[in-house]
Amino acid sequence: MIIRGCSSQPTSAPRSCFSTSFLLPTSNRHSFKKRVTTFKHELDVVSCSFNSPSTNFRIQALEAKKLDGVISEGSRTNLQNDHLTWPSPSDKVPFWKTEFPSWDISDSGHVDIQKDSDPIHVIHVTAEMAPIAKVGGLGDVVTGLARACLMRGHTVDVYLPFYECINKQHIKELTLISTYGSYHDGSWIPTNIYRGVVFGIPVVFIEPTNHFFKGQSVYGGSYDELEAYLFFSRACLEWLQVSATQPDIIHVHEWQTAGLPLLYWDMYQYLSLQKPRIVLTIHNMEHYGECRQEQLNKCGLDGSVYATEEKAMDDRTIGHNPERLSLLKGGIVYSNAVVTVSPTYLKETLNSGWLAATLIRHRDKYFGILNGIDTAIWNPATDAFLPAKFDANQIEGKRICKLFVQRGLGLAPEAQDSAKVPLVVCITRLVAQKGLHLITNAIRHIEALNGQMIILGTAPDARVGSEFEGLAQLHNEGPSIRILQMYSEELSHMLYAAADIVLVPSIYEPCGLSQMIGMRYGAVPLVRKTGGLADTVFDMDDQSHSETANGFVFEGIDEGSLNCALDRAFSFYREKPNEWRDTVKKVLLMDNSWNNAAGKYIDVYNNVRFKHH
Ligand code: ADP
């Protein structure tokens, strides 16, 4: 972790406590507005003198006095126990690691959702689930889709490996149900089954008693990942058989569980499981589950059976010695329906890449459904991690969030008289797909434009990690750039809330959640036109689509294209503050919730329910 304090910061944070709720009952709005006006003025005064070490004590005193005055009345009106302490980079406990009010959205979002007339039983078999085992968007999607289907009256379970690193804090009613044997490489591994509830979703945890899924991260443990997920896929089917559970749909995700359709149709369907039909969602076609025949043998299938072009042969290896299999391709062939996560990515995958031929062959069962976001998990009006709440009608809290993050990371707050300082945030896995050269270029260009940028990301590749470490050392003590190499769900919420602009310059992006989450928190997206980004962000300067315009879009993969979009966004922010404010409101009001997308998934489930393979 690489945060160093700006030398001009106070050495300890002012301890001003106040209600963090800026969504007040209507009767209080008038007096609230007056208080906020006073507060705004004081923020500006604070900002003007912030960078001068000699004024530190004055700032603290001023803040303590004024903020107490402004907010103490607020604390009488709402959320009595919610208190804010202004953070500083020198705090012993960084502000995103302090204690937060409990984060439980189990009961949120049920209102206004109409129940479907014909309830079905869906089991998700997945390598990730937010927030207990999340690495990227897959975890968000499983939780969001499962909750949306539950709300519509369906029965949903999630089956997940019981990773050693799983975040147990969010699992309720965790109970060991049974121990049974599941097959791996000639023996039956004693396997524990636990049940628990995560955000209202019933979850089954599968824990083999061998070394699989041990280690401090979801992926990259010191075991053979392919064999572990093949084991997990079979263990899920085995448990369904042992417990005589026959869902309507088994919904598998990515290569990790794409072996399950093969196991189902060629093995368990001949045992006792007959009812379920299989849906596969491909979230990212970057990983294919490359597999040797002998590896597939280990889960009890005969690998040689799948080594044909029509089944699971990896087309790139035809004629090689040895040829290889691809679990993802096998999953496409053997599933009753295949979904990918945006209409544009669907087109892109039919037009390029070695799997295109297989996808074209199975075109009639291949669908593009844009992901949603869970609007209860991502809700700036109730978010437990935010220092101040806000929504489209009451935006002031966003300004507090920006100042809070700037203070906490030692970034210079916006000064009243100088050019406005847009804060750009980029929250991402630091991998080539995400446009690494564009992200590093953005650092330079944003600094040159006198803006600010915060990158929150993790790099699975050590070389990429050390490149960003070098950039962090170069910039993290300055007033405008912070590069934070770590994973923090809490900080991500705060950064989306603080951001003026959320940057997603991906080279390709199947759907992308970051831009949708950013918009939900009033951050205007700046994205490259690809995949799901092209389906969700429309350029402000495209006069022909002014009603959908909601951000800034560029097409090239060169730095110049990105710079030009940044220039346009910065000018807009600085020169048209009213229009900018309207855009912030517009993105805050956009509906990217799961409800619509869940309806499309339910149509797919219903379509395949009674079909034969
Ligand atoms: P991908 O699935 O390719 O990683 P998405 O945009 O679909 O990209 O989803 C990324 C999700 O992971 C978002 O919820 C984003 O906020 C989150 N995320 C990515 N990196 C981090 C990080 N370092 N800390 C916290 N959240 C992160």
Side-chain angles (χ1 to χ4, degrees):
M1 221 258 311
I2 324 136
I3 305 175
R4 274 176 210 94
C6 172
S7 58
S8 62
Q9 285 292 329
T11 47
S12 67
R15 303 282 144 191
S16 326
C17 293
F18 61 96
S19 161
T20 62
S21 176
F22 280 76
L23 296 174
L24 302 180
T26 331
S27 57
N28 292 319
R29 289 238 164 98
H30 179 69
S31 55
F32 168 75
K33 260 189 192 155
K34 270 170 65 187
R35 290 197 304 276
V36 165
T37 314
T38 325
F39 184 37
K40 271 173 65 178
H41 171 70
E42 294 308 339
L43 291 182
D44 289 336
V45 174
V46 169
S47 306
C48 290
S49 47
F50 191 75
N51 268 339
S52 158
S54 61
T55 55
N56 280 342
F57 286 110
R58 197 169 77 74
I59 293 166
Q60 287 186 36
L62 184 69
E63 280 172 349
K65 188 166 143 260
K66 291 301 178 187
L67 295 179
D68 281 347
V70 169
I71 303 302
S72 57
E73 209 180 315
S75 60
R76 284 200 297 278
T77 61
N78 215 339
L79 292 181
Q80 301 279 350
N81 298 327
D82 230 351
H83 292 297
L84 172 74
T85 302
W86 284 102
S88 143
S90 57
D91 290 339
K92 273 206 190 98
V93 179
F95 64 88
W96 60 91
K97 287 192 177 162
T98 53
E99 268 188 35
F100 294 98
S102 88
W103 186 38
D104 185 5
I105 45 93
S106 308
D107 299 324
S108 320
H110 283 259
V111 278
D112 299 338
I113 306 269
Q114 239 192 317
K115 301 272 183 274
D116 290 326
S117 55
D118 187 10
I120 47 184
H121 182 194
V122 182
I123 291 180
H124 290 272
V125 178
T126 172
E128 289 186 37
M129 180 189 193
I132 56 171
K134 170 176 161 183
V135 177
L138 168 61
D140 288 316
V141 169
V142 168
T143 302
L145 176 58
R147 264 174 42 80
C149 290
L150 279 169
M151 280 182 242
R152 294 170 73 121
H154 302 282
T155 303
V156 185
D157 300 289
V158 172
Y159 281 35
L160 191 70
F162 204 171
Y163 298 104
E164 190 182 14
C165 66
I166 215 157
N167 182 349
K168 290 208 185 80
Q169 193 196 337
H170 296 295
I171 308 174
K172 284 187 181 163
E173 301 161 35
L174 185 63
T175 319
L176 177 66
I177 297 294
S178 178
T179 302
Y180 68 113
S182 194
Y183 182 86
H184 175 68
D185 200 14
S187 36
W188 291 81
I189 310 286
T191 300
N192 298 323
I193 284 278
Y194 294 80
R195 279 195 171 277
V197 179
V198 176
F199 286 173
I201 307 164
V203 184
V204 169
F205 298 96
I206 301 216
E207 183 187 50
T209 50
N210 64 5
H211 58 299
F212 289 160
F213 308 120
K214 301 281 187 286
Q216 290 321 300
S217 57
V218 170
Y219 302 128
S222 53
Y223 50 88
D224 185 317
E225 225 157 45
L226 188 114
E227 289 177 17
Y229 285 114
L230 274 173
F231 167 84
F232 170 63
S233 300
R234 177 152 182 187
C236 290
L237 290 170
E238 187 66 29
W239 175 246
L240 292 182
Q241 162 134 315
V242 168
S243 60
T245 309
Q246 300 247 19
D248 297 290
I249 301 292
I250 301 175
H251 192 155
V252 298
H253 300 265
E254 301 291 61
W255 72 266
Q256 284 93 344
T257 53
L260 187 147
L262 283 59
L263 281 157
Y264 177 73
W265 287 112
D266 285 348
M267 193 184 284
Y268 281 84
Q269 198 244 159
Y270 296 107
L271 301 169
S272 69
L273 295 180
Q274 261 120 44
K275 187 177 169 198
R277 293 295 175 267
I278 316 284
V279 174
L280 162 69
T281 294
I282 305 176
H283 300 257
N284 193 331
M285 245 167 262
E286 190 187 2
H287 301 290
Y288 306 105
E290 284 115 345
C291 176
R292 294 189 312 278
Q293 286 183 29
E294 315 83 80
Q295 283 178 298
L296 197 56
N297 294 347
K298 289 194 181 174
C299 75
L301 291 173
D302 177 355
S304 65
V305 169
Y306 300 92
T308 70
E309 220 176 319
E310 293 69 40
K311 292 192 169 173
M313 171 91 79
D314 182 333
D315 302 38
R316 296 167 301 175
T317 67
I318 293 174
H320 289 204
N321 185 16
E323 292 170 333
R324 249 187 348 226
L325 305 175
S326 151
L327 290 186
L328 191 62
K329 176 172 165 184
I332 294 169
V333 172
Y334 274 74
S335 294
N336 297 92
V338 180
V339 178
T340 197
V341 290
S342 72
T344 299
Y345 193 58
L346 177 125
K347 278 188 219 143
E348 290 170 358
T349 52
L350 286 168
N351 284 322
S352 64
W354 70 268
L355 273 175
T358 306
L359 292 169
I360 290 168
R361 237 185 352 262
H362 293 275
R363 179 69 186 90
D364 56 340
K365 65 171 188 186
Y366 184 36
F367 307 95
I369 301 178
L370 193 65
N371 285 333
I373 52 170
D374 190 315
T375 47
I377 293 178
W378 301 104
N379 183 357
T382 56
D383 193 320
F385 303 129
L386 301 194
K389 324 291 183 213
F390 57 93
D391 66 14
N393 298 319
Q394 204 54 267
I395 268 176
E396 271 309 313
K398 185 165 174 65
R399 187 170 152 81
I400 313 252
C401 291
K402 181 174 174 182
L403 185 68
F404 186 87
V405 164
Q406 285 172 320
R407 302 253 350 232
L409 296 179
L411 292 167
E414 203 160 68
Q416 196 177 30
D417 305 327
S418 63
K420 295 287 173 209
V421 183
L423 173 61
V424 181
V425 155
C426 181
I427 301 173
T428 185
R429 292 180 296 120
L430 294 169
V431 293
Q433 174 206 334
K434 301 295 179 181
L436 294 177
H437 69 290
L438 295 175
I439 294 174
T440 50
N441 172 75
I443 297 172
R444 287 189 295 274
H445 198 64
I446 289 168
E447 197 173 36
L449 291 174
N450 292 321
Q452 292 179 349
M453 181 175 192
I454 304 170
I455 298 171
L456 173 65
T458 46
D461 180 332
R463 275 170 310 177
V464 175
S466 57
E467 187 193 342
F468 277 85
E469 170 74 35
L471 288 167
Q473 277 172 12
L474 199 66
H475 293 282
N476 275 8
E477 297 206 30
S480 52
I481 308 291
R482 292 293 176 272
I483 297 159
L484 312 172
Q485 282 201 73
M486 62 181 166
Y487 186 92
S488 167
E489 194 68 30
E490 294 84 350
L491 183 56
S492 76
H493 284 239
M494 296 183 203
L495 294 185
Y496 286 122
D500 296 302
I501 295 169
V502 61
L503 173 68
V504 193
S506 306
I507 302 307
Y508 75 93
E509 191 60 75
C511 177
L513 297 179
S514 206
Q515 80 283 9
M516 291 196 251
I517 300 168
M519 288 193 267
R520 176 83 174 140
Y521 283 70
V524 176
L526 193 158
V527 306
R528 204 179 146 259
K529 189 173 182 177
T530 178
L533 300 172
D535 293 331
T536 50
V537 184
F538 307 97
D539 198 275
M540 297 293 294
D541 290 327
D542 182 354
Q543 297 300 334
S544 55
H545 292 98
S546 55
E547 64 303 335
T548 50
N550 59 356
F552 297 88
V553 179
F554 65 99
E555 289 195 32
I557 53 167
D558 59 298
E559 280 100 355
S561 301
L562 168 66
N563 290 351
C564 181
L566 281 168
D567 292 344
R568 289 193 292 122
F570 273 47
S571 304
F572 200 103
Y573 180 87
R574 285 174 172 153
E575 288 156 24
K576 300 178 181 167
N578 293 336
E579 284 95 327
W580 186 272
R581 212 177 156 81
D582 291 344
T583 311
V584 170
K585 281 195 179 170
K586 186 175 181 179
V587 297
L588 274 165
L589 287 170
M590 283 182 64
D591 181 6
N592 284 311
S593 68
W594 261 109
N595 196 28
N596 185 22
K600 292 184 181 159
Y601 266 105
I602 287 159
D603 290 345
V604 171
Y605 296 156
N606 278 323
N607 252 322
V608 300
R609 246 170 105 183
F610 304 110
K611 278 199 179 144
H612 294 291
H613 182 44

